[in-house]
Amino acid sequence: ITVPLLDLKPQYQALKPELDAALARVAESQYFILGPEVACFEAGVAAYCGVEHGIGVSSGTDALIVAMMALGIQPGDEVITSPYTFFGTVGSIVRLGAKPVFVDIDPQSFNLDVSKIEAAITPKTRVIAPVHLFGQMAEMGPLMELAKAHNLIVIEDAAQAIGAKQNGQPACSFGDLGCLSFFPTKNLGGFGDGGMVVTPHAAHADRARQLRNHGMEPKYFHAHVGGNFRLDALQAAVLNVKLQHLDAWHEQRRQNAALYREAFAAAGLIRTIDDLENNDLRGGILLPTEQAGNFHIYNQFVIYTENREALMAHMKEHSIGCEIYYPLALHQQECFQSLGYHAGDFPHAERAAAMSLALPIYPDLTPEMIHRVVEVIAQFKH
């Protein structure tokens, strides 16, 4: 039995009539850039995230860039964020000339350790940018209190977390702005790149809407220098169809995660955070933790394992998909060496980069496929 890391074809086949009709509708209209399809999708996502405004843009990375441009982030400003995330989080900060300031992660959630943020705040700090990694939210209550106390803006990087909740409140409804990605592998994925900025603030929304279209308002009049960050109508049409099914897909992912826990427990492979801290998983694995109050949507299902490269080779040999998110913490990337960080500065992020491994978790996995993944890992471990 072959188990790919991700297979989008079953989802497409199930929605094909709806998707074909949506694409045909855009083709008939010949309205390809922004327009009614995009406006409809923006309203739907904003409502889904519990905020008033949505601004569709060209990618999740561009959502971060537009959000920071809308805030007037500039050279010399500091943005506190995670060293263990997708490159776009930090690349966006650096592209605007601002300085990323890293804070280590909590090893169980893979998200910012909020208790370490205050020590990183300086007079130059403008923004805290928590990343809701792998589908689980960072600890937003104390983070928002800290931001308020220091008069800082919060941008939620929810590229992997649309629909995640904390104490019943959706991702992107805590901070001043939220940023989403609709890359095809996301829980809500398009037929190409796409993203969105969401915000409760009309002023931020107006500025972001201008900036995504070369700072233009009205047509051919430019009060600001923006960029070409527009969302295509074809992507919005696809995503309008898929948004209606998103909650069901989240539930399927959560059920798959529960079945993994059950199967790994039955195989005797589950280890604890103490085992990880003692550098001894004893041939087992540490499963992702769903922290109290969190509704995890499992964009990825990421374990800690020893002998990762050997395990990956074993899994691939048995036709089981897996992936490393991410093999190098960002402070160790060559292009960020000028920031002055060194190996050992963020030990939890560095350990996650060295030991984490993502297993298949997409909604269309069957129980047989999940049991096969566990069986193959158990064969390697024992």
Side-chain angles (χ1 to χ4, degrees):
I1 182 170
T2 297
V3 186
L5 179 69
L6 177 66
D7 183 3
L8 294 171
K9 289 174 187 170
Q11 183 188 97
Y12 170 63
Q13 291 300 330
L15 299 180
K16 191 175 186 303
E18 291 176 78
L19 290 166
D20 287 353
L23 293 169
R25 188 171 63 242
V26 175
E28 288 292 331
S29 75
Q30 289 293 292
Y31 204 139
F32 295 112
I33 306 293
L34 299 178
E37 289 285 351
V38 172
C40 173
F41 181 56
E42 288 171 336
V45 170
Y48 187 82
C49 293
V51 297
E52 203 161 333
H53 307 281
I55 303 94
V57 296
S58 37
S59 70
T61 300
D62 289 340
L64 289 160
I65 290 170
V66 168
M68 286 187 281
M69 287 174 72
L71 298 171
I73 298 302
Q74 55 194 2
D77 291 339
E78 293 180 356
V79 179
I80 293 173
T81 194
S82 170
Y84 184 67
T85 175
F86 176 65
F87 181 87
T89 306
V90 177
S92 307
I93 298 165
V94 173
R95 275 188 62 183
L96 294 178
K99 181 185 177 186
V101 174
F102 293 127
V103 167
D104 208 358
I105 61 169
D106 170 88
Q108 289 188 275
S109 70
F110 298 104
N111 287 325
L112 275 182
D113 184 339
V114 175
S115 70
K116 294 177 177 170
I117 292 176
E118 190 157 28
I121 295 172
T122 77
K124 294 181 177 180
T125 307
R126 288 279 314 280
V127 173
I128 305 174
V131 183
H132 304 321
L133 202 66
F134 303 146
Q136 176 163 231
M137 292 180 62
E139 203 179 352
M140 292 305 293
L143 189 148
M144 293 307 299
E145 285 175 25
L146 192 60
K148 190 175 178 184
H150 291 270
N151 197 27
L152 300 174
I153 292 161
V154 174
I155 299 175
E156 295 179 65
D157 181 343
Q160 299 177 4
I162 183 172
K165 297 186 184 77
Q166 196 158 87
N167 301 318
Q169 187 175 336
C172 296
S173 67
F174 287 80
D176 299 276
L177 300 107
C179 296
L180 300 166
S181 168
F182 307 118
F183 188 78
T185 60
K186 298 294 193 289
N187 287 31
L188 181 62
F191 281 5
D193 270 320
M196 192 172 292
V197 178
V198 295
T199 178
H201 304 295
H204 291 336
D206 289 346
R207 177 62 66 88
R209 207 168 273 116
Q210 264 189 335
L211 290 168
R212 73 166 171 193
N213 197 20
H214 296 291
M216 184 163 61
E217 184 65 37
K219 195 171 185 181
Y220 301 134
F221 288 83
H222 304 262
H224 312 282
V225 176
N228 181 0
F229 302 125
R230 300 174 303 225
L231 180 64
D232 292 342
L234 284 166
Q235 295 301 340
V238 166
L239 292 161
N240 270 322
V241 171
K242 290 190 171 191
L243 180 60
Q244 313 313 313
H245 302 272
L246 185 56
D247 284 341
W249 294 336
H250 288 337
E251 281 307 323
Q252 286 171 292
R253 286 173 180 268
R254 288 174 58 78
Q255 285 169 21
N256 291 344
L259 186 51
Y260 267 129
R261 292 182 204 287
E262 208 176 278
F264 278 123
L269 291 176
I270 297 178
R271 301 294 178 261
T272 68
I273 187 67
D274 289 336
D275 296 326
L276 181 71
E277 297 297 354
N278 293 327
N279 296 313
D280 183 19
L281 291 178
R282 295 173 289 115
I285 60 172
L286 182 65
L287 292 178
T289 304
E290 186 161 344
Q291 298 198 307
N294 270 346
F295 180 83
H296 196 325
I297 62 159
Y298 293 100
N299 185 238
Q300 282 93 13
F301 187 88
V302 178
I303 64 170
Y304 284 91
T305 178
E306 296 163 326
N307 305 319
R308 181 177 65 187
E309 276 63 29
L311 174 59
M312 288 180 72
H314 172 76
M315 291 173 71
K316 286 173 181 173
E317 194 181 313
H318 290 83
S319 303
I320 306 295
C322 55
E323 182 66 86
I324 299 172
Y325 299 95
Y326 300 94
L328 203 59
L330 290 174
H331 67 287
Q332 297 180 290
Q333 293 284 358
E334 184 180 346
C335 62
F336 296 141
Q337 289 310 293
S338 61
L339 295 173
Y341 294 112
H342 303 97
D345 284 349
F346 307 105
H348 293 312
E350 291 168 31
R351 183 174 57 194
M355 296 181 68
S356 61
L357 186 66
L359 307 182
I361 191 68
Y362 61 96
D364 293 292
L365 279 178
T366 64
E368 292 74 23
M369 294 163 94
I370 290 170
H371 283 295
R372 178 61 180 155
V373 173
V374 175
E375 179 185 43
V376 168
I377 292 174
Q379 286 169 359
F380 175 78
K381 293 301 182 185
H382 297 96

